[in-house]
Amino acid sequence: MKFRVERDVLAEAVTWVARGLPARPPVPVLAGILLQADEDGTLTLSAFDYEVSARITVAADVAESGTVLVLGRLLADISRNLPARPIDVSTEGSKVQVTCGSSRFSLLMMPADDYPTLPTSPEASGSVDGHLFTQAVAQVSVAADRGDTLPILTGVRVEIEGDTMTLLATDRYRLAMRELHWNPTSTDASHVVLIPARTLSDTARSLGASGSIDVALGTAAGGDGLVGFEAGQRRSTTRLLDGEYPKVSSIFPTTSETEAVVSTAELVEAVKRVALVAERNTPIRLRFSDGQVTIEAGAGDDAQASEAVESRLTGPEIEIAFNPTYLLDGLGAVGTPFSRISFTQSSRPAVLSGQAEEDGDADTSYRYVLMPVRFAS
């Protein structure tokens, strides 16, 4: 094998493929990146750990086609640190020679025959706007469980009905749901999949800048139990989580007694300041009254703090307590200048949604449900 490729092109490609390499691979070959040079002037880089696959094709000046397997993270580190000049890669015996200017590296060739067969390239079931999808995944994945006691809750539930995509995640203390429009290849598209939240976040972030992302579901994803994503020359597949997701949509309150509209940025800053005195896992109290919300933390002999923020209230006054981290996660995900918080009573879940203007309508395409914390008697 022998090819020449631009430094920035190789560095970006290797970095993207290597991001999913396992830190402690169960078998040594899974730490490798597969390089396939074709005489048609393309270089394809692939990685696969039986859960997630990543593949990217870039332009290269190929003198001799071939396939080699080399240590992925090492190749990523080398390509990032080489001078901004063309890189020559060739095989010599059992070594892969990487030359750039006067820099020369010899990498050990790993046994490519032992490398697992990658899932076939997914066929698109539809496409979604890259920026919109990245934002939606970020808004929802904040509520996914980060522990491993209930693996099913570490996923994001993606439901497709026609041209509507609904993303949902919960860790039992909060629940986030986002609806968005996508363009299915078939008008009667109907799918429900459960995708690991961390992998989905990484994929959305790395592909979102491409403008449009093709999504492959069901048999089109390249294998049973897979979901596929493609943008530009980047393709990835992810193994889905197994199991029945709990029926959580009933948690959404259907009515509200009290609604408060508050500046998102002002409330975030106030909660951050007041929460400084809240010991670990200690709730902060919010008292919504006419014209303002008062945020308090600490009691008795402990350190205490309070701050008031302007607020527009509709309905009776209410006092409620929340975990400050969970509240900040929701306010950070809303992404609008104002936030609307709807309450039924202080012991029932509250719903957070965004709105562009103080006296405008709520944007219910994103809803974040937060369970309150009981007051200490």
Side-chain angles (χ1 to χ4, degrees):
M1 186 175 81
K2 190 175 184 182
F3 65 85
R4 171 175 280 201
V5 63
E6 292 300 320
R7 195 283 305 262
D8 290 351
V9 170
L10 184 66
E12 191 184 323
V14 176
T15 301
W16 185 75
V17 169
R19 71 191 161 75
L21 289 174
R24 287 183 293 275
V27 286
V29 288
L30 296 186
I33 282 181
L34 203 61
L35 303 176
Q36 292 166 290
D38 275 318
E39 280 170 353
D40 63 358
T42 60
L43 172 68
T44 301
L45 298 88
S46 313
F48 183 40
D49 66 355
Y50 292 109
E51 295 293 323
V52 179
S53 79
R55 194 180 300 175
I56 184 169
T57 303
V58 296
D61 186 2
V62 180
E64 229 177 279
S65 61
T67 301
V68 295
L69 184 69
V70 293
L71 274 174
R73 292 192 199 283
L74 180 59
L75 184 62
D77 289 344
I78 290 170
S79 55
R80 273 197 302 267
N81 286 289
L82 287 172
R85 300 175 66 171
I87 298 173
D88 288 300
V89 179
S90 61
T91 51
E92 273 181 32
S94 62
K95 296 285 180 75
V96 177
Q97 305 294 343
V98 179
T99 310
C100 181
S102 59
S103 300
R104 187 179 171 91
F105 292 86
S106 285
L107 307 183
L108 192 64
M109 238 193 281
M110 300 167 77
D113 292 345
D114 296 348
Y115 202 70
T117 306
L118 276 92
T120 55
S121 290
E123 294 173 35
S125 306
S127 63
V128 61
D129 177 271
H131 173 72
L132 195 66
F133 186 65
T134 306
Q135 182 198 36
V137 169
Q139 287 179 314
V140 170
S141 55
V142 292
D145 201 342
R146 285 165 180 79
D148 52 7
T149 47
L150 265 175
I152 204 160
L153 295 186
T154 62
V156 171
R157 182 183 187 271
V158 180
E159 182 175 354
I160 303 282
E161 275 304 328
D163 62 357
T164 302
M165 180 185 284
T166 306
L167 282 66
L168 184 133
T170 182
D171 62 1
R172 293 171 296 174
Y173 304 105
R174 63 263 180 82
L175 187 158
M177 185 164 97
R178 171 70 195 267
E179 282 185 359
L180 65 153
H181 177 85
W182 83 308
N183 307 301
T185 51
S186 155
T187 50
D188 60 349
S190 180
H191 298 277
V192 175
V193 293
L194 193 57
I195 307 172
R198 190 175 297 157
T199 309
L200 183 62
S201 297
D202 284 350
T203 304
R205 272 199 306 270
S206 67
L207 297 180
S210 304
S212 177
I213 299 174
D214 287 340
V215 184
L217 299 148
T219 51
D224 204 26
L226 294 176
V227 60
F229 299 96
E230 184 169 344
Q233 293 298 313
R234 300 179 177 199
R235 302 180 291 284
S236 80
T237 62
T238 301
R239 186 157 295 287
L240 300 171
L241 292 169
D242 280 332
E244 188 70 29
Y245 203 72
K247 291 177 171 51
V248 289
S249 40
S250 58
I251 292 171
F252 285 100
T254 48
T255 58
S256 64
E257 301 284 319
T258 300
E259 291 199 339
V261 177
V262 62
S263 160
T264 306
E266 286 179 23
L267 185 57
V268 165
E269 291 305 315
V271 169
K272 279 181 179 173
R273 282 190 286 269
V274 171
L276 292 171
V277 303
E279 303 251 334
R280 190 169 167 269
N281 294 333
T282 312
I284 55 166
R285 301 178 298 280
L286 287 87
R287 193 162 61 249
F288 291 87
S289 54
D290 194 30
Q292 69 174 34
V293 51
T294 306
I295 305 120
E296 298 174 337
D301 297 333
D302 298 330
Q304 295 171 21
S306 72
E307 187 168 336
V309 173
E310 207 175 297
S311 160
R312 284 182 53 169
L313 192 72
T314 310
E317 297 185 356
I318 190 168
E319 187 171 355
I320 196 164
F322 292 124
N323 174 312
T325 305
Y326 295 167
L327 176 58
L328 286 169
D329 281 347
L331 291 167
V334 161
T336 48
F338 293 91
S339 292
R340 179 186 294 245
I341 312 175
S342 308
F343 310 93
T344 46
Q345 54 196 63
S346 57
S347 59
R348 304 287 300 149
V351 183
L352 176 65
S353 51
Q355 62 187 64
E357 295 162 2
E358 190 175 17
D359 53 357
D361 294 326
D363 175 6
T364 56
S365 68
Y366 178 65
R367 288 177 289 166
Y368 183 87
V369 178
L370 192 51
M371 306 298 279
V373 183
R374 291 182 191 280
F375 289 108
S377 54

